[in-house]
Amino acid sequence: MNEDEKWMNLAVKEALIAESIGEVPVGAVLVKDNKLLAKAHNKSIAKHDPTAHAEIELLRLAGNQLKNYRLINCTLYVTLEPCAMCYGAIIHARLKRIVYGAKDMKTGVCGSSEDFRGANCFQHKPETSGGVLEKKCGQLLIDFFKTRR
């Protein structure tokens, strides 16, 4: 198992926590210097907050922990490709790298639905890697939505 898979497995655990409380199973972890800074999962339903995606919750936790809204040299591991809202927050936080599991063909903006990575409106351009534990991450979502239909 490589480092990306190690951290993505921890994000999967967060996604399982989200699922256990009735949230869409998306989890995220933030790493700096090979150390865990924060972990979070979706809480939009519980908080009645459309912005309470795993990534946003994670950035809030890490910012409070570091006492800084700039999260320089950090890597985000998230089980689902970020949406436009989350990508914008990631850019403002100045994350170094985004690693995601499953592609999001409906709302993903790292190349699946749209590709914001080269957008001229963003000066900061984080490295992006997708497909880490893609099947595992994707199956969580498939299984979750099967029970909802």
Side-chain angles (χ1 to χ4, degrees):
M1 179 184 315
N2 66 34
E3 284 297 305
D4 285 349
E5 291 170 339
K6 169 187 149 185
W7 294 114
M8 189 62 74
N9 272 314
L10 190 55
V12 167
K13 288 181 182 179
E14 283 297 309
L16 290 169
I17 294 169
E19 181 180 47
S20 75
I21 60 171
E23 296 281 352
V24 176
V26 177
V29 298
L30 194 67
V31 176
K32 183 174 184 173
D33 299 325
N34 207 31
K35 292 179 184 165
L36 179 68
L37 281 182
K39 56 187 179 175
H41 51 271
N42 275 3
K43 293 183 182 173
S44 294
I45 297 167
K47 288 187 167 187
H48 311 290
D49 180 355
T51 69
H53 288 191
E55 299 97 321
I56 302 297
E57 293 293 298
L58 182 77
L59 295 175
R60 288 176 177 152
L61 287 169
N64 282 329
Q65 182 179 336
L66 295 176
K67 306 291 186 233
N68 195 336
Y69 72 104
R70 298 285 198 220
L71 304 172
I72 308 295
N73 294 320
C74 292
T75 298
L76 165 71
Y77 292 88
V78 61
T79 57
L80 183 64
E81 181 179 358
C83 70
M85 173 187 68
C86 292
Y87 192 82
I90 289 164
I91 295 302
H92 289 293
R94 300 296 192 264
L95 298 187
K96 180 179 182 178
R97 189 167 173 240
I98 304 166
V99 179
Y100 66 88
K103 294 177 184 174
D104 186 342
M105 301 308 288
K106 292 182 180 178
T107 64
V109 297
C110 294
S112 295
S113 175
E114 296 291 333
D115 195 346
F116 283 19
R117 295 173 296 177
N120 289 331
C121 61
F122 296 125
Q123 292 179 0
H124 180 69
K125 312 268 191 224
E127 299 169 30
T128 306
S129 302
V132 175
L133 302 182
E134 183 172 12
K135 288 183 182 181
K136 188 175 195 177
C137 295
Q139 195 62 51
L140 287 171
L141 293 159
I142 290 167
D143 292 346
F144 177 81
F145 286 111
K146 269 186 191 174
T147 65
R148 300 286 190 258
R149 294 184 177 124

